[in-house]
Amino acid sequence: MASVQPRFSVVIDAAHGGADTGAKLTSGLMEKDLVLALSVRLRSLLAARGISVITTRESDTTVAADDRAGLANHSMAAACIMLHATTTGSGVHLFTSSLAAVPNGRFLPWQTAQAAYTPQSLRLSSEIASALGHVQVPVTLGRASVPPMDNFTCPAVAVELAPLAHGNTTRAAPLTDSAYQTRIVEALAAALEQWRSDWRQQP
């Protein structure tokens, strides 16, 4: 009897919320508000592609890190995208867990659960970087312990938006630039659509 392949779904985690405002990006824009708006836009783009989406917050509410991870893990998502923003650097910073890879077992320690998914997370990060490169957004890759990433039992990448500095192929754009935001969310949607194709081919 053939096994039924699990449904492809994506978790979007808009960082911060409620009393946790995150970084102050401009005099009138907090990180928690920008990433929530981006989460809504990305969810719509993915839904239009027939991709199931789970969001960790839909409004300006406080959600504990463990609750975010619990929601993501319960959904058995094929990708978890954490959205952050900063005024430092240029373009998009992609972070994967700094945990060393371990074999995937039936029971994973909560604090280091992501270690079993590190190789997949690195591949997902590479696909996102490629998609951003296609729309001429510079990418910086890094490894870090970004809560609650290490608790996720899914391929996970933290996507941190920064303003676009002057460059040879791009013009400067602040985080408030709607066209710049659109380039990023469309690239993320394209990368996740490609990831769905790759995910289906995995054994």
Side-chain angles (χ1 to χ4, degrees):
M1 182 173 166
S3 61
V4 178
Q5 189 172 37
R7 181 185 62 168
F8 181 90
S9 62
V10 172
V11 168
I12 305 174
D13 178 30
H16 310 293
D20 178 9
T21 62
K24 184 177 181 180
L25 304 174
T26 69
S27 60
L29 181 63
M30 305 305 296
E31 181 181 4
K32 66 172 185 174
D33 297 321
L34 175 61
V35 296
L36 180 59
L38 293 172
S39 171
V40 170
R41 293 178 67 177
L42 180 57
R43 181 190 63 196
S44 296
L45 289 174
L46 293 174
R49 289 167 164 80
I51 294 175
S52 175
V53 177
I54 300 97
T55 53
T56 58
R57 68 181 179 99
E58 292 280 333
S59 59
D60 183 19
T61 54
T62 301
V63 184
D66 282 356
D67 291 339
R68 294 171 190 259
L71 177 65
N73 296 349
H74 181 72
S75 71
M76 296 185 289
C80 295
I81 304 297
M82 304 166 60
L83 297 176
H84 287 263
T86 181
T87 56
T88 305
S90 177
V92 172
H93 312 143
L94 300 178
F95 294 100
T96 49
S97 175
S98 55
L99 293 171
V102 300
N104 196 340
R106 185 174 179 184
F107 298 105
L108 299 172
W110 177 258
Q111 296 300 329
T112 57
Q114 176 62 198
Y117 295 86
T118 296
Q120 289 176 290
S121 297
L122 289 168
R123 289 199 299 272
L124 175 59
S125 177
S126 178
E127 294 210 352
I128 294 172
S130 177
L132 288 164
H134 285 312
V135 295
Q136 298 185 325
V137 173
V139 174
T140 303
L141 301 175
R143 303 284 296 275
S145 180
V146 182
M149 182 190 292
D150 286 350
N151 311 129
F152 283 156
T153 56
C154 57
V157 178
V159 179
E160 185 181 60
L161 282 69
L164 195 59
H166 285 286
N168 294 328
T169 59
T170 56
R171 58 184 178 83
L175 285 170
T176 53
D177 186 305
S178 179
Y180 177 45
Q181 294 176 15
T182 297
R183 285 162 65 189
I184 291 171
V185 293
E186 287 183 347
L188 289 174
L192 289 164
E193 187 171 27
Q194 179 61 46
W195 183 248
R196 175 171 59 178
S197 175
D198 296 343
W199 177 80
R200 283 177 171 164
Q201 294 171 20
Q202 293 178 18

